Amino acid sequence: MIRAGILALGIAALSTAAFAVEPDEVLSDPVLEDRARAISANVRCVVCQNEPIDSSNAGVARDLRVLIRERLVAGDTDQEIYDFLVLRYGDFVLFKPPFKPSTYALWLSPFAILLIGGVAVAVSLSRRPRKPASKDTHLSAEEETDLAKLMKEDTSL
Amino acid sequence: MKRLLFALPLLLALIIGGFAIWGLSGGRDPSALPSVLISQPVPQLDLGPVEGVATPGFTTDDLVEMDGIKLLNVFASWCGPCRAEHPNLTRLGAEEGLTLIGVNYKDKPEAAAKWLDELGNPYAAIGSDFSGRAGIDLGISGVPETFIIDAEGVIRHRFAGPVVGDGLRRFMEALDEVRQ
């Protein structure tokens, strides 16, 4: 009983975030509608900023959804629609920033850090002795003298 | 060499702390978006007049032909902050010799006419943007927004939010920069 209640609450909590796309916006052509949904999931709402326009209730987000659908019906490609939006709102509206000189640092720095880490690991591994110590490994003459000296000093043993 | 390694955590803390101080100071607004329209000509607009208001509508060509610095103000009668900034914009237009151009955003014509009757109409032209398409072309995220357009018809500054209080101060700074 309690479990069912929790489940119902959970479902209710999830459903509040669901579709902002209103029925009157939906296109009759399911292929175009799917493309519209895919595009609007990639476009940031400029009012709420961390929400795609697909799930935003802001007025501008709705306008943009309607506009994307109009352009799809008019025969625009997905790229043309993205270009149209970027021209007006900048790269910021795309959740996935484009790969260009001003974003090289953004895209490449993770790989650079990985490379630095990899080099550091490789260097520290190569400095270690190749073989781990075993019964057959012997101390060097220098180490033997050091050891003898220590043993002599510590008489409690 | 080994000793230097021990300084590494301190160095990391300094770098992260430095970024934190930079991020928290200086009155930066992290949600402020850069506008792609800065240093660009005004996008092509062709807006008819608001029904019941004597002020004419405008096209981008009309706007470019006007002399001096222009303020393109996107407003609506349903927007509270627009009401707050209205006297400031009116005063700026009169005292600083700026031409005010209005874009009436998603507004009922009769409500807009009533609003202008009540508060005064400082605009040289008002375009009606009932559909909100001009707003999208201007890349606005809400109302009010005010663009500073120089004598050549190039957008020099985008100001989102009402031109009041600290906003007025920042707006004046931007205006001074455009004038230089």
Side-chain angles (χ1 to χ4, degrees):
Chain A
M1 189 57 210
I2 291 168
R3 209 178 271 183
I6 290 169
L7 189 68
L9 272 180
I11 290 169
L14 283 174
S15 65
T16 54
F19 320 111
V21 180
E22 286 160 41
D24 62 310
E25 295 172 19
V26 175
L27 295 174
S28 52
D29 182 339
V31 180
L32 285 185
E33 178 60 23
D34 279 352
R35 276 174 62 199
R37 292 304 296 271
I39 293 171
S40 30
N42 281 328
V43 174
R44 189 193 301 271
C45 166
V46 285
V47 181
C48 359
Q49 299 198 0
N50 286 324
E51 204 176 10
I53 58 169
D54 193 50
S55 54
S56 168
N57 288 312
V60 175
R62 179 189 155 87
D63 289 351
L64 287 175
R65 287 197 301 267
V66 172
L67 187 108
I68 286 170
R69 284 169 171 79
E70 274 178 27
R71 297 192 74 89
L72 279 172
V73 171
D76 273 16
T77 63
D78 290 6
Q79 194 53 49
E80 278 167 344
I81 291 172
Y82 286 129
D83 290 347
F84 176 89
L85 293 170
V86 167
L87 200 65
R88 282 155 184 81
Y89 287 100
D91 290 335
F92 186 80
V93 288
L94 305 175
F95 272 115
K96 188 180 167 188
F99 187 67
K100 60 183 196 181
S102 63
T103 60
Y104 282 169
L106 177 71
W107 282 102
L108 299 177
S109 58
F111 299 105
I113 292 169
L114 185 70
L115 192 73
I116 293 168
V119 168
V121 168
V123 166
S124 72
L125 281 180
S126 71
R127 280 194 186 161
R128 271 202 196 163
R130 285 285 149 84
K131 279 184 200 159
S134 69
K135 258 190 229 163
D136 307 324
T137 347
H138 296 290
L139 296 176
S140 68
E142 203 180 332
E143 285 166 340
E144 289 281 12
T145 31
D146 282 351
L147 181 63
K149 218 160 111 193
L150 285 170
M151 295 291 271
K152 219 185 276 171
E153 276 173 21
D154 196 346
T155 45
S156 66
L157 273 174
Chain B
M1 185 63 206
K2 273 268 164 66
R3 284 271 167 87
L4 279 177
L5 272 177
F6 289 119
L8 205 60
L10 183 69
L11 188 72
L12 278 175
L14 282 177
I15 291 172
I16 294 168
F19 270 110
I21 289 167
W22 171 75
L24 291 171
S25 63
R28 287 177 346 107
D29 179 6
S31 64
L33 307 182
S35 174
V36 283
L37 291 174
I38 303 301
S39 304
Q40 300 287 324
V42 179
Q44 282 306 316
L45 303 171
D46 183 359
L47 302 173
V50 180
E51 215 177 296
V53 177
T55 315
F58 69 92
T59 64
T60 296
D61 291 339
D62 297 342
L63 220 158
V64 173
E65 275 171 28
M66 292 175 189
D67 292 328
I69 296 175
K70 294 148 285 249
L71 303 183
L72 183 72
N73 175 234
V74 187
F75 73 98
S77 69
W78 46 261
C79 140
C82 298
R83 187 175 274 271
E85 70 167 3
H86 193 76
N88 283 342
L89 291 176
T90 307
R91 190 176 52 76
L92 272 178
E95 288 178 8
E96 313 273 335
L98 310 170
T99 311
L100 260 62
I101 314 289
V103 173
N104 188 221
Y105 183 74
K106 289 194 175 181
D107 209 353
K108 286 183 189 145
E110 56 269 32
K114 208 177 134 216
W115 194 82
L116 289 165
D117 272 346
E118 185 194 332
L119 299 175
N121 181 355
Y123 300 105
I126 302 178
S128 169
D129 181 27
F130 188 72
S131 64
R133 283 302 151 84
I136 289 177
D137 283 334
L138 287 166
I140 68 164
S141 59
V143 277
E145 285 204 12
T146 307
F147 294 85
I148 303 178
I149 298 162
D150 68 13
E152 280 76 46
V154 173
I155 295 180
R156 297 287 297 276
H157 188 77
R158 169 189 177 224
F159 189 88
V163 181
V164 289
D166 191 51
L168 177 63
R169 188 187 55 75
R170 282 183 285 126
F171 191 80
M172 293 308 290
E173 278 173 15
L175 194 60
D176 285 341
E177 224 166 87
V178 173
R179 277 179 168 156
Q180 277 164 16

